[in-house]
Amino acid sequence: MKQQLISSFSIFLLFLHCANTFAQIPAAAPAQAPAVVVAPPPAATPTQAAAPHGITNVTKILEKAGHFTIFIRLLRSTQEESHLFSALNDSSTGLTIFAPTDSAFSELKSGTLNTLRDGDKSELVKFHVVPTFLSTSQFQTVSNPLGTWAGTGSRLPLNVTSYPNSVNITTGLTNTSLSGTVYTDNQLAIYKIEKVLLPKDIFASNAPAPAPVAPAPEKPTKAVPAVTVDSPAASVDISSALIFTNNILVGSFGLLASAMFSL
């Protein structure tokens, strides 16, 4: 009887041991499951790094600011909008844009833009783009004339003068100042101006037209004295000759009459 109790107790202890062993085995298995969750890499990070370049859209910035409808229209009709987008994505020097407001274009002579050829419209837009980023403080040290997308030279001068509270821009035909900052970051600066920057290369050809008219009045003034001086002298000489001839004839007639009476 005693042996049976010992055997039963031994079997009971063995059962408890087996139960504890099986209870611990599944606990280790779930520990490996989270290892799979760590694997997914957020590979979208590189594409997001390039996103700031793609976000910079000049026309959208101008549309949001308002009052640049005509300049936006020119950017699109001349295809310069796409050139700006490409330059901002590829250039490391950035861009500076002087954006004329709608009121600036309204100050131009009626029909000015319609008379321009497509190439001239494109040049006009490019004349407002400087191929480097310029903050307001950098205008103090920049060298003149500024180069633009339209080019450089005596036909395309763009000079900037910085004062404590303003920045003045001249082209030889236009004189204006920056009237505000539309947008700026480390790559793009857009400044508002109240006059369209007119390049001499396009608009100066119309300006000299009145100049040739000035010398015209000088020709008649030179011709008049020649006639006035000569004609009095000529009239004096003729009258003297007639008087002299008349005296000779009268004298001859008197001598002939005297001779006839003496006969």
Side-chain angles (χ1 to χ4, degrees), residues 1 7 16 21 45 48 59 64 83 92 102 109 128 130 134 151 164 168-169 176 188 190 210-211 214 217 247 263:
M1 180 73 179
S7 298
L16 288 176
T21 302
T45 308
Q48 290 175 348
T59 52
K64 185 177 180 180
H83 294 164
S92 59
D102 291 336
K109 185 179 178 181
H128 290 74
V130 178
L134 293 173
N168 189 60
I169 307 174
T176 188
L188 172 66
I190 303 178
N247 291 337
L263 293 174

Side-chain angles (χ1 to χ4, degrees), residues 178-194:
L178 303 186
S179 59
T181 301
V182 179
Y183 177 88
T184 184
D185 57 20
N186 293 327
Q187 189 189 25
L188 172 66
I190 303 178
Y191 299 106
K192 180 171 66 173
I193 54 177
E194 298 300 335

Side-chain angles (χ1 to χ4, degrees), residues 10-187:
S10 299
I11 293 171
F12 178 72
L13 290 176
L14 179 63
F15 175 77
L16 288 176
H17 176 72
C18 293
N20 289 334
T21 302
F22 286 120
Q24 292 175 0
I25 291 174
Q32 296 178 353
V36 182
V37 180
V38 182
T45 308
T47 54
Q48 290 175 348
H53 297 281
I55 291 173
T56 307
N57 187 312
V58 174
T59 52
K60 288 191 178 298
I61 292 172
L62 294 174
E63 285 175 346
K64 185 177 180 180
H67 308 292
F68 296 99
T69 306
I70 300 175
F71 190 55
I72 292 172
R73 189 187 309 155
L74 279 174
L75 287 171
R76 288 173 173 165
S77 64
T78 59
Q79 305 299 317
E80 296 304 327
E81 177 187 23
S82 59
H83 294 164
L84 288 172
F85 185 82
S86 300
L88 288 171
N89 283 304
D90 301 336
S91 174
S92 59
T93 58
L95 295 174
T96 299
I97 301 174
F98 301 114
T101 61
D102 291 336
S103 61
F105 281 100
S106 67
E107 292 184 9
L108 296 177
K109 185 179 178 181
S110 180
T112 297
L113 293 180
N114 294 332
T115 60
L116 296 179
R117 298 170 298 179
D118 291 342
D120 291 337
K121 290 179 182 179
S122 180
E123 183 175 317
L124 178 62
V125 172
K126 290 177 179 179
F127 193 59
H128 290 74
V129 181
V130 178
T132 185
F133 171 79
L134 293 173
S135 64
T136 52
S137 61
Q138 287 176 308
F139 286 116
Q140 299 175 2
T141 57
V142 74
S143 58
N144 288 315
L146 285 180
T148 68
W149 269 11
T152 56
S154 60
R155 300 291 295 173
L156 295 163
L158 185 65
N159 297 302
V160 175
T161 306
S162 180
Y163 298 99
N165 297 318
S166 64
V167 177
N168 189 60
I169 307 174
T170 59
T171 71
L173 298 176
T174 304
N175 187 10
T176 188
S177 300
L178 303 186
S179 59
T181 301
V182 179
Y183 177 88
T184 184
D185 57 20
N186 293 327
Q187 189 189 25

